[in-house]
Amino acid sequence: MKQEMMTIVDQIQLAPDIYEMTLKGALVNQMSVPGQFLHIRIPSADLLMRRPISIHEIDQTTKTCKMIYRVEGQGTAQLAKLTTGTLDVLGPLGNGFSIDDLNAGQTAYIIGGGIGIPPLYELSKQLVKKGITVYHLFGFASKTVSYHLDKFAQLGKTRVATDDGSLGEAGLISVLFDSLPTCPDAVFSCGNNGLLKAVEQQYGTLTDVQLSLEARMACGVGACYACICPKQDNPQKSVKVCDEGPIFKAGVVQL
């Protein structure tokens, strides 16, 4: 983990209230594990708390990284206005997805919903580089707020469900679970607790199911205990999503 004033290379709007920012700096040298996040300081004297935003893509050649976020409050609204300058970035944080045990020729399902989808791109890219066949299952509220489906489709088959049926299948992402042709060697998922519960119920008997939790964070480094989550086997004990997560094996935490 390091801190750097990274340069804002570009920012584009992908969908209503959803933005993609490209940052450049030496901090990219520390980024290699998919699923980690950055802790961003909003350039405003009124906003002291950093915002955790997942890493969408890493490019070591250009020393750039991309992050995708949704405008949900005053901080991200100010972030969305930035197109040049620098940004105070702390990271990379979190434990990320583990792909070391997978080998060429194996299969992975990558399941995401809404703003939980961004960190899954770097994961998919690294899996494909290892020779893993990937299948993407994504859920959105509607076609209007979907993004980067063509980009994911270049890596592997991509199926979509929308709440209103405006794109792909109508309904929750679970309607897609029976559409895939094979039993996966691993399942990776990121999204809200409802989605993660559905993934755990469907694939929890597999040995390699990794879930990336969404949680409100404060310090981002495990010091403040603002993002604790009870364990399944002992609810009296908790884990900290920011530093012990955000990725956990299925069955470890209560969703």
Side-chain angles (χ1 to χ4, degrees):
M1 177 185 69
K2 292 189 176 182
Q3 185 176 358
E4 181 183 357
M5 295 299 296
M6 299 188 75
T7 300
I8 300 172
V9 175
D10 187 30
Q11 176 152 234
I12 59 174
Q13 185 171 2
L14 300 177
D17 293 329
I18 298 176
Y19 292 81
E20 177 183 275
M21 178 180 284
T22 303
L23 298 171
K24 183 174 184 177
L27 195 63
V28 176
N29 292 327
Q30 308 296 318
M31 302 177 194
S32 61
V33 180
Q36 292 185 300
F37 65 94
L38 302 176
H39 222 25
I40 308 296
R41 182 179 294 281
I42 305 299
S44 171
D46 299 329
L47 302 171
L48 300 179
M49 301 303 294
R50 291 177 179 268
R51 269 59 177 179
I53 302 178
S54 61
I55 300 170
H56 168 63
E57 185 176 3
I58 304 163
D59 189 334
Q60 294 291 355
T61 302
T62 61
K63 300 304 175 189
T64 61
C65 66
K66 296 180 185 293
M67 59 182 192
I68 295 175
Y69 62 96
R70 180 169 56 209
V71 174
E72 295 184 336
Q74 187 180 359
T76 45
Q78 290 198 31
L79 191 63
K81 297 176 183 178
L82 303 177
T83 56
T84 60
T86 58
L87 204 58
D88 186 338
V89 180
L90 182 68
L93 299 173
N95 62 358
F97 292 106
S98 175
I99 64 174
D100 292 340
D101 293 336
L102 289 172
N103 300 303
Q106 292 186 297
T107 300
Y109 290 177
I110 299 176
I111 305 171
I115 206 62
I117 292 172
L120 300 175
Y121 181 75
E122 181 64 31
L123 167 68
S124 183
K125 190 172 69 171
Q126 292 194 22
L127 287 170
V128 170
K129 188 175 181 179
K130 288 191 67 172
I132 311 299
T133 299
V134 298
Y135 292 87
H136 308 115
L137 300 181
F138 294 148
F140 296 96
S142 68
K143 180 179 180 179
T144 305
V145 293
S146 65
Y147 54 89
H148 280 340
L149 293 176
D150 290 344
K151 186 176 179 179
F152 277 97
Q154 292 175 5
L155 297 175
K157 291 184 178 179
T158 303
R159 292 179 170 84
V160 179
T162 49
D163 295 347
D164 63 0
S166 56
L167 182 66
E169 297 292 325
L172 300 177
I173 197 169
S174 55
V175 303
L176 301 174
F177 287 169
D178 294 329
S179 68
L180 297 182
T182 182
C183 181
D185 297 289
V187 176
F188 304 92
S189 185
C190 183
N192 61 39
N193 278 6
L195 182 149
L196 298 181
K197 285 180 181 178
V199 170
E200 191 171 67
Q201 290 173 0
Q202 180 76 11
Y203 301 107
T205 58
L206 299 177
T207 58
D208 191 2
V209 179
Q210 301 178 38
L211 309 176
S212 180
L213 274 63
E214 297 177 346
R216 288 188 175 276
M217 299 179 188
C219 73
V221 294
C224 70
Y225 290 80
C227 59
I228 60 171
C229 184
K231 300 183 70 174
Q232 276 197 24
D233 60 355
N234 187 353
Q236 302 304 314
K237 292 187 176 181
S238 299
V239 294
K240 293 172 286 185
V241 175
C242 64
D243 70 337
E244 295 176 82
I247 285 81
F248 296 95
K249 290 277 191 178
V252 171
V253 300
Q254 290 186 10
L255 298 171

